[in-house]
Amino acid sequence: MSRAIEAGAPVFHRLYHPMTSRPFLADGRYREYRPCELLRPYILCYWTMEDEVAPDRSGSEANAPVLVIPDTCADIIIRINHTRQEISGYLCGIQDQPFLSVPRISGDEVSCFAVRFYFWSAGLFLNLNYRDTSNATIGLEELGRDWRMLFEPFFCLNRIEDRIALVEEFLLRKLVSMEWKPDLYNSVHRILASSGRISVKEICEYSCVSQRQMERLFLKEVGLPIKRIAGMVRYQNVWREMVSSKEFNIQDAVYRYGYTDQAHLLKEFRRFHGTAPEEARRIAWQNR
């Protein structure tokens, strides 16, 4: 089974590495975990978090709103309320605008476990029309009985390694019966290989598909138009370079990523990030 999966797997994850607004964060409340080798083309990471803050910590930095930026991913987020013995969850569709997430305050013992899918892969695991999922959440009950049943054993699995193993066994079974969409993946490859610096016309010509047909395909399988996806990929490449390099030169980035001028880059960055580059870097670096 593993050889068959590996042979048909895309290599997009080697071309593209999206980041959150706090890419270096790893503390007692939030952690990320890499998937197994076979799932890395599809899953960016698993992550865990203390979703709720105890009342006696009210007013601390733990209660501060968190900037969430478009990372071109979709997350299935599971909330385990250990106090009430309840499990709930939802799919957070791909976002194309920034927002502030405010931590919930409760006396309950609550933890979160999430699967973060790349934008090109969620459709392989979820039988949904993604047209209605962008900038929205879909309840776990709408994802199908198999997804609802998957997380019930979490009450008995206290180790994160055991939870990940359970989820990965489930995901690998789904990969065996995956339905590839060559037109979609040819286009995704072109977008990623160009770092988002490409027009819709060029994408469609490369894939030999009409623009109308390609737009329908992207809306159904990804949830956003092609142009918006390419723009977000370009923004994410700029953000990675900006936050990873101490010698980042904005004028070089204008040329490298095909912006009209510096004002164009800054406008696009603020539209997706919600802040100017200086503030964005400050938020990222203070959460190392």
Side-chain angles (χ1 to χ4, degrees), residues 23 34 40 42 56 65 89 111 113 131 137 154 165 189 193-194 204 219 246 263 272 276 283:
R34 294 186 73 187
R40 285 176 194 170
Y42 316 97
D56 59 358
S111 61
F113 175 92
R131 182 184 293 270
T137 57
F154 269 32
H189 180 269
S194 67
C204 294
L219 287 173
K246 294 183 179 179
F272 288 126
I283 293 171

Side-chain angles (χ1 to χ4, degrees), residues 64-269:
V66 174
L67 174 63
V68 179
I69 61 173
D71 60 3
T72 65
C73 294
D75 295 45
I76 290 183
I77 302 174
I78 304 301
R79 297 180 64 251
I80 306 105
N81 189 313
H82 305 276
T83 303
R84 303 175 187 271
Q85 290 292 289
E86 295 175 350
I87 290 182
S88 60
Y90 55 92
L91 167 70
C92 182
I94 186 172
Q95 307 286 319
D96 67 352
Q97 53 195 352
F99 65 92
L100 292 176
S101 176
V102 181
R104 306 179 185 187
I105 300 176
S106 169
D108 291 351
E109 181 186 353
V110 177
S111 61
C112 276
F113 175 92
V115 184
R116 179 166 293 156
F117 297 93
Y118 291 108
F119 72 85
W120 60 79
S121 62
L124 293 173
F125 300 93
L126 298 162
N127 186 23
L128 291 174
N129 185 331
Y130 283 85
R131 182 184 293 270
D132 301 320
T133 65
S134 61
N135 301 305
T137 57
I138 307 295
L140 187 62
E141 63 279 359
E142 297 182 49
L143 303 184
R145 184 175 182 275
D146 54 348
W147 279 100
R148 293 198 306 272
M149 298 290 291
L150 169 63
F151 300 104
E152 288 187 0
F154 269 32
F155 281 125
C156 306
L157 301 175
N158 296 320
R159 297 171 65 245
I160 183 62
E161 294 83 1
D162 295 334
R163 291 181 175 181
I164 290 176
L166 176 71
V167 171
E168 292 200 328
E169 182 182 357
F170 173 81
L171 294 175
L172 288 170
R173 286 200 304 270
K174 282 190 169 291
L175 276 186
V176 175
S177 57
M178 71 174 69
E179 293 185 17
W180 295 102
K181 299 175 176 63
D183 293 339
L184 175 67
Y185 293 118
N186 285 338
S187 300
V188 169
H189 180 269
R190 193 75 183 95
I191 292 171
L192 300 182
S194 67
S195 299
R197 182 182 175 175
I198 190 171
S199 68
V200 174
K201 181 181 179 181
E202 290 173 308
I203 295 169
C204 294
E205 288 179 349
Y206 176 81
S207 301
C208 300
V209 176
S210 71
Q211 182 171 338
R212 185 175 181 180
Q213 183 179 346
M214 188 65 76
E215 289 288 5
R216 286 200 301 265
L217 182 61
F218 264 73
L219 287 173
K220 182 178 184 295
E221 300 296 335
V222 179
L224 288 172
I226 314 171
K227 184 176 181 180
R228 181 54 62 93
I229 289 293
M232 290 164 61
V233 167
R234 179 165 68 165
Y235 148 73
Q236 271 288 334
N237 277 282
V238 171
W239 171 230
R240 169 169 283 277
E241 186 175 331
M242 185 180 294
V243 79
S244 302
S245 173
K246 294 183 179 179
E247 306 298 327
F248 176 76
N249 185 300
I250 193 168
Q251 199 56 49
D252 288 346
V254 167
Y255 173 76
R256 185 159 45 253
Y257 295 106
Y259 290 95
T260 305
D261 51 29
Q262 183 172 319
H264 182 206
L265 186 152
L266 292 174
K267 180 181 178 181
E268 287 292 289
F269 185 87

Side-chain angles (χ1 to χ4, degrees), residues 19-23 25 49 63-71 97-103 116 235 239 269-284 286-287:
M19 303 176 77
T20 66
S21 68
R22 304 185 298 172
L25 180 65
M49 187 174 185
N63 291 336
V66 174
L67 174 63
V68 179
I69 61 173
D71 60 3
Q97 53 195 352
F99 65 92
L100 292 176
S101 176
V102 181
R116 179 166 293 156
Y235 148 73
W239 171 230
F269 185 87
R270 183 179 285 275
R271 177 172 72 156
F272 288 126
H273 212 97
T275 67
E278 294 77 13
E279 176 65 9
R281 283 197 295 263
R282 185 192 67 78
I283 293 171
Q286 78 177 8
N287 287 282

Side-chain angles (χ1 to χ4, degrees), residues 10-29:
V11 294
F12 304 150
H13 63 300
R14 299 174 187 168
L15 300 173
Y16 180 62
H17 308 280
M19 303 176 77
T20 66
S21 68
R22 304 185 298 172
F24 311 115
L25 180 65
D27 57 18
R29 296 190 63 237

